[in-house]
Amino acid sequence: MIAEGNASNMRFGVIVAREFEEHSEIHLPMLVDNLTRMGCQGDNILIKYVPTMHDILVTTQFMAQYTDVDGVIILAPKDIVMGSGYLMQSIALVQVQNGMVVEIGGAECAADIVYMIEMQNDMELSAPAEKMPPFMLS
């Protein structure tokens, strides 16, 4: 069951590694359905296919730099991606440097990413001005 969340004003990047074809065939339609049931418009879901797990990192960085997505979902078996130390360390660095929410796994990521973005937005709105980056004050 999907947690209650409102994704109506959110944009998502979804990275699908072709090497996990069986995983994505099962989870991609359910993920898109979950996001749209939470209010996300279909054209606010940017799906990018990459050849291998190795390409996930650079694509996550591209989404953070060159798109206006609020968060990224890496559609791949969570245990495999999280078991790769270099990849996880690098993804964590992209998250911290860009303030970008990243979730890893399958269709269940819809509820998780919406929750995290809502929390990020709430914390940003309630932050005192002196804690805000200068570019957000103008």
Side-chain angles (χ1 to χ4, degrees):
M1 172 151 206
I2 303 174
E4 293 298 316
N6 184 351
S8 62
N9 294 317
M10 295 180 189
R11 289 183 43 90
F12 302 97
V14 178
I15 300 171
V16 180
R18 287 190 183 119
E19 82 176 280
F20 303 121
E21 184 176 5
E22 287 181 25
H23 185 269
S24 61
E25 284 178 358
I26 294 167
H27 288 276
L28 184 58
M30 292 188 308
L31 174 68
V32 171
D33 184 57
N34 289 349
L35 290 171
T36 55
R37 281 194 283 144
M38 295 173 78
C40 183
Q41 299 299 311
D43 57 350
N44 284 340
I45 303 170
L46 173 65
I47 301 171
K48 294 293 181 186
Y49 294 86
V50 299
T52 67
M53 184 172 78
H54 172 77
D55 303 301
I56 289 171
L57 175 61
V58 72
T59 308
T60 304
Q61 182 66 41
F62 289 164
M63 285 194 176
Q65 285 183 317
Y66 304 125
T67 71
D68 61 349
V69 299
D70 297 297
V72 173
I73 298 167
I74 298 170
L75 196 67
K78 189 174 189 170
D79 58 334
I80 294 174
V81 175
M82 294 189 95
S84 173
Y86 86 91
L87 184 57
M88 285 309 303
Q89 186 176 23
S90 300
I91 289 170
L93 188 59
V94 170
Q95 286 181 285
V96 171
Q97 288 178 339
N98 296 284
M100 175 74 64
V101 176
V102 177
E103 293 292 335
I104 303 164
E108 75 283 354
C109 288
D112 296 343
I113 199 164
V114 170
Y115 172 81
M116 290 301 295
I117 292 169
E118 285 177 335
M119 182 176 64
Q120 180 183 29
N121 291 343
D122 289 345
M123 293 174 79
E124 185 178 307
L125 288 173
S126 63
E130 63 270 7
K131 296 273 187 185
M132 299 298 286
F135 65 86
M136 297 188 79
L137 295 175
S138 51

